[in-house]
Amino acid sequence: MQPITHTGALSPWAPGIFSLTVFTVAILILISVLLFLSAWLGEKKPGSEKGRPYESGIIPTGTARLRYPVPFFMVAIFFLIFDVEGAYLFSWAIACESLGWAGWMQISFFIFVLILGLIYIWVKGGLAWGPTSKRE
């Protein structure tokens, strides 16, 4: 793979800044034209029924703000943590040969810290989402 020179960066035939700029401008123009046409040609019949949120045919009552239980947020946070971990592990797996033993030690330390965090969450009761029975 050869580096892009300054003369080639603005060339319309080589991938570079010029083609990216032309593509971005073309997309922005297309989006603007489509939004203008839909606002201009669209039918406008305002009414109370059109302003009401659609809830599968059920007339909404009360506020839309519901309090979610804490375990819902715990699941979301655990998903984010382990999703990021998966991204690191997949990228390490692709580059493991070129990283060598140093990369293996670094990813092992990363996994060790994550396991320590999981044990900490477990000990603190972060994984106990159901009702707990207290024995007295």
Side-chain angles (χ1 to χ4, degrees), residues 77-93 107-116 118:
I77 290 172
F78 291 152
F79 172 76
L80 286 175
I81 289 171
F82 291 110
D83 191 40
V84 170
E85 174 195 3
Y88 279 124
L89 287 176
F90 285 133
S91 61
W92 171 79
I107 201 68
S108 298
F109 178 74
F110 177 71
I111 292 171
F112 177 72
V113 169
L114 282 174
I115 289 173
L116 284 180
L118 182 63

Side-chain angles (χ1 to χ4, degrees), residues 9-32:
L10 297 177
S11 169
W13 306 111
I17 301 297
F18 180 74
S19 32
L20 178 65
T21 306
V22 169
F23 178 74
T24 303
V25 169
I27 292 300
L28 289 175
I29 289 172
L30 177 67
I31 289 172
S32 301

